[in-house]
Amino acid sequence: MKKKMLLLNTTVLLGLGGVLSTPAYASTIQDMESQKSQIQNQRQDVQSNIKAASDELTRLQAEQDQMKAQLERLTIAEEENNKKAQKTEADIKETSKQVEELEKEIKLLQEKLEKRNDILKDRARSLQESGGNVEYLQVLLGSSSFSDFVDRALAVSTIVDADRGILKETKNMQDELKTKQADVKSKLASLEDMKAELDEMTVQLAAQKKQKDALAKELKDKEAKNEELKASLQAKDSSLANEQSTLEQNIKDQKAVEEEARKAAEQAAEEAAKKAAEQAQKADFSSAKAEAPKASSNDVAPTSAPAPKASNVVTVGNRWIGNSAYVFGGGRSQSDINHGLFDCSSFVHWAYSQVGVNLGPLGSVSTETLKHAGTQVSSSQMQPGDLVFFDTYKKDGHVGIYVGGGKFIGAQSSTGVAIANMSSGYWKQKFNGRVVRI
């Protein structure tokens, strides 16, 4: 009898369970769970895109910061080069005045010497008429020019002391003025060469700054668009989060209804089969119990590879590529070096100093000193690390370090420190074949 009663009560409970778990009811829960899963997947995609946008913003910001630093270097370089150009122009004007004054002095001296020439010729004629030395007269009258006349006259041993003193004094003054004139003209030519290079460099730096400004604007526009995209994605994620929250609440409410129905069913069956209902309830709780999944993490802390240490003169200067500017006469103080401000010869000096090679005093280094710093070799035997020279605004006006493959690294007036191709184009035309091995 007890077995039959137990079987009957169990059948009643199973029947009630079947009524409460109709396909329509289960479908509602499954649909909401499915929608929740879809929204969660969409949120994962959106959040992934938000992270990508944030990463891109970070990258753009770093790139923009680097660009700002380079623009600051270019501004400093431009100011320094403009100062040097102005000083050079002032020096040229001053030297030009000196040349003009010397030319006036030389002209006056030549007029004075011509008068002395006439006086000496008259004295020679008088000497001849009075039976004087014939050799003296022939020297004076046979000279091809006034300078030749002075040289000839000084060679005649019979010249009176007064004439000899006048001639020696005149020749010394003439030689001194010619020397001064040659020195001033040489200085003027050198200053004009410097100005030509500075003018070219200023034009190139202005063009480079214009290009950098355009790039900075492009980066700023990209940053603004990426910010807009990020804001849009965040708004969408917020909307999806609200939908997910609503669905979770609906599921919770629906499960509450299910729980209430289950309780009502259990209460209705309690009088008919209390023990069977308790067993059924216990079985239902046991089968519904599930283990919570354990969280696991497979993340591995990223390790950063040790930064390569530059130990070769060919590559030690790569750190300045894109982070330097050309300043005529720059690179000869620690402040200039810290800010990446070099000219061609100071960069070469710095690069070799990084690998333990001293190329002489930093303050006086130039292309002229560097071309005598080692052994000259044929361009056909050129090796990485050799110094290569170019005829730019003057002979051997530019120097760099050969890196191989027809290329060299150096401080270029248009780009700062950069690697350039000397196998074609501008630098091939300017390469003069001078190669120095340190």
Side-chain angles (χ1 to χ4, degrees), residues 48-59:
S48 176
N49 290 333
I50 290 174
K51 184 180 183 303
S54 298
D55 292 344
E56 178 65 9
L57 278 173
T58 301
R59 188 192 68 79

Side-chain angles (χ1 to χ4, degrees), residues 107-314:
K107 184 177 180 181
L108 290 174
L109 178 61
Q110 287 175 339
E111 292 175 355
K112 184 177 179 180
L113 292 176
E114 287 294 339
K115 291 179 180 180
R116 290 187 178 186
N117 184 22
D118 293 338
I119 293 173
L120 290 172
K121 286 182 178 179
D122 289 340
R123 293 185 64 176
R125 291 191 184 94
S126 299
L127 182 64
Q128 182 186 29
E129 291 172 357
S130 61
N133 190 291
V134 177
E135 181 185 8
Y136 183 33
L137 178 63
Q138 290 176 342
V139 167
L140 296 177
L141 299 180
S143 59
S144 60
S145 65
F146 185 61
S147 178
D148 182 41
F149 160 71
V150 173
D151 292 336
R152 284 170 173 259
L154 286 172
V156 176
S157 59
T158 58
I159 298 177
V160 295
D161 290 340
D163 290 348
R164 183 179 297 278
I166 292 174
L167 288 169
K168 283 186 177 181
E169 179 184 356
T170 300
K171 181 170 179 58
N172 289 339
M173 290 174 61
Q174 188 180 45
D175 292 342
E176 181 181 0
L177 286 173
K178 286 182 179 180
T179 299
K180 287 183 178 180
Q181 186 182 40
D183 290 343
V184 171
K185 287 184 178 181
S186 175
K187 182 179 179 182
L188 180 60
S190 176
L191 288 171
E192 288 175 346
D193 287 342
M194 290 168 59
K195 184 178 181 301
E197 183 181 27
L198 284 169
D199 289 343
E200 178 184 2
M201 180 178 57
T202 301
V203 172
Q204 292 173 335
L205 284 174
Q208 184 184 39
K209 186 176 184 301
K210 183 177 179 181
Q211 179 185 7
K212 297 296 184 183
D213 287 341
L215 184 55
K217 183 179 182 302
E218 180 182 353
L219 287 172
K220 187 174 181 181
D221 292 343
K222 286 182 180 180
E223 184 178 16
K225 289 180 180 179
N226 209 53
E227 284 282 10
E228 183 180 352
L229 173 61
K230 182 180 177 182
S232 174
L233 290 170
Q234 287 174 333
K236 184 175 181 180
D237 181 63
S238 178
S239 175
L240 289 172
N242 290 335
E243 289 185 35
Q244 180 178 337
S245 178
T246 300
L247 275 172
E248 288 173 348
Q249 185 61 45
N250 290 341
I251 292 172
K252 182 178 179 181
D253 293 342
Q254 190 66 29
K255 286 184 176 180
V257 171
E258 177 185 3
E259 186 65 21
E260 287 296 327
R262 189 179 299 281
K263 287 180 179 180
E266 290 174 355
Q267 188 175 1
E270 185 176 358
E271 293 179 359
K274 184 177 181 180
K275 291 183 180 180
E278 290 177 353
Q279 293 176 357
Q281 185 179 14
K282 184 177 181 181
D284 183 58
F285 286 161
S286 298
S287 63
K289 187 176 180 181
E291 279 190 18
K294 295 182 179 179
S296 63
S297 173
N298 293 323
D299 294 341
V300 178
T303 58
S304 57
K309 183 177 181 181
S311 60
N312 189 297
V313 72
V314 174

Side-chain angles (χ1 to χ4, degrees), residues 360-376:
L362 176 60
S364 59
V365 66
S366 66
T367 54
E368 190 67 22
T369 63
L370 290 177
K371 74 181 185 181
H372 300 295
T375 303
Q376 296 199 26

Side-chain angles (χ1 to χ4, degrees), residues 405-420:
K407 297 180 179 180
F408 75 99
I409 186 171
Q412 326 297 8
S413 60
S414 59
T415 60
V417 176
I419 294 176

Side-chain angles (χ1 to χ4, degrees), residues 367-368 371 390-398 432 434:
T367 54
E368 190 67 22
K371 74 181 185 181
F390 304 85
D391 293 342
T392 51
Y393 73 101
K394 67 175 184 178
K395 185 171 182 58
D396 298 321
H398 188 70
N432 62 16
R434 186 187 299 279

